[in-house]
Every structure is written in C-alpha cells, then in structure tokens.
Amino acid sequence: WLLVMRAVAPDCGSQPRFVDGMLTTTLGALLGQVMPVQVGVALTRSLAGRLGVGRSPGVNLGTTAYEQFFDAVVLGLAGAVGLLGLVFRPGAAGWLMLILLVGSIGLWALVRGGYLLTALPGWLSRTRFSDGYISKFANAAAHAVKLSPPIFMQLMVLSVLRYAMVLLRAVIVLSGLGMSVFAVEVIQVFPLVQVIGVLPLTPGNLG
C-alpha cells in the first residue's frame, strides 16, 4: 500500500509513514475477524484519511483497492493451477510447466487489460458517463496502469510472496497436527480455502 501511495500523485497530500501503514493494516486485520479482511483494511484506511493519515479517504481507498487487486490476481492464477493439477495429475516437471504456463497467460492478460483501461477514459468522454463516479474511477484506473513497471512488478512479487507464506503456514500447521496431507494436495485446494476465507462465518475466518 505504501508503494502505491508514494507512486500515485506524489504531490497530492502528505505521504503516509510506515507506522501509519502498519497501524491501519493491523486495525483492518482485527476487523477482519468479523468481516472480510479486505473490507476491514479498506475501511480503516479510508477512515484514517478523515483523520489526516495519508491522503483523502477516496485516495486511501483507491490505492488500497489497487494493491489488493494483485492479491486477487495471484489467487486466481493459483486456483487455475490447482484446478489443472486436479485434472491432469502432473509430476514435478508437469507442475512447473503448469505454473509457468498459467503465469505467462496471466501476465499477458494483465498487460492487455491495462491497454484497455488506458483507453477507457477516452471512450467514456464520448458517452453520458463522461462525468461522475464512473468517469473518476476510469481515470484513476488508467493512471494506475501507467505507473512505472517497477511498481507493478514489486506488487506482483509481494503478492506472490504473501500467498506463498500463507500456503507454507498451512502446510506446517497440518504437519504439526500430525495429518498425513501432501503439500501438493494443499496446493490444489488452498485457493478455494482462501476464497471461502473471504466470508468470515466465524471469528478469524475459521468457518
């Protein structure tokens, strides 16, 4: 989130400090015990904007949505890999090929989608949606796409590392409980677990 905040309109408002990002994210995670954690984090960062932390509530919310988008992309790609693994039952080399194939297709789709987003404000300017929230969202999305490639790659790497750490935690917990579950099986079903975890049926998403 801090990477995005520093890249989007750096002259618009104060830059959030590391402690601000840590505090708002932690409070959002606490709210995530009773609501989807993504919503909790977005809510606390937006409210923090009203208290002068970061920038305006809208900018705080928009940058949060942008950085969370990469987590959703990684989750979707992992789900595709897991589904293909269940269908084809590959070996070690096959798993590597699946990951490379799905990852390449995902990156290509992101790049093509980015080109479409940059053209969206121009299309909307010729319609009745030229003003209002839809136009503002399109302009913000187009600006986000135009951020320097290093920001894009840093966010993708961070999202991949986050997913890998959560996945590793699941494998370690299952192993510590003495369950004879193979890591490959966890990799296959874990994306579904992550999606269901967005719906916190019990505190801490234990549902």
Side-chain angles (χ1 to χ4, degrees), residues 40-150:
V41 171
L43 181 62
T44 55
R45 289 175 179 171
S46 179
L47 292 176
R50 294 185 179 275
L51 301 176
V53 176
R55 311 210 185 136
S56 68
V59 173
N60 284 7
L61 183 62
T63 50
T64 297
Y66 181 69
E67 61 98 357
Q68 289 183 352
F69 168 75
F70 290 89
D71 290 341
V73 169
V74 171
L75 180 59
L77 295 178
V81 171
L83 181 61
L84 291 173
L86 286 172
V87 173
F88 296 105
R89 303 286 181 177
W95 274 108
L96 180 60
M97 290 298 297
L98 279 179
I99 293 173
L100 292 176
L101 176 63
V102 173
S104 300
I105 293 175
L107 288 176
W108 176 85
L110 277 177
V111 172
R112 296 301 301 172
Y115 285 132
L116 293 177
L117 280 177
T118 56
L120 186 58
W123 296 340
L124 290 176
S125 66
R126 297 188 292 270
T127 69
R128 60 189 181 91
F129 299 109
S130 57
D131 294 316
Y133 288 108
I134 295 179
S135 178
K136 290 180 180 179
F137 174 80
N139 288 328
H143 179 70
V145 171
K146 294 176 182 178
L147 293 178
S148 60

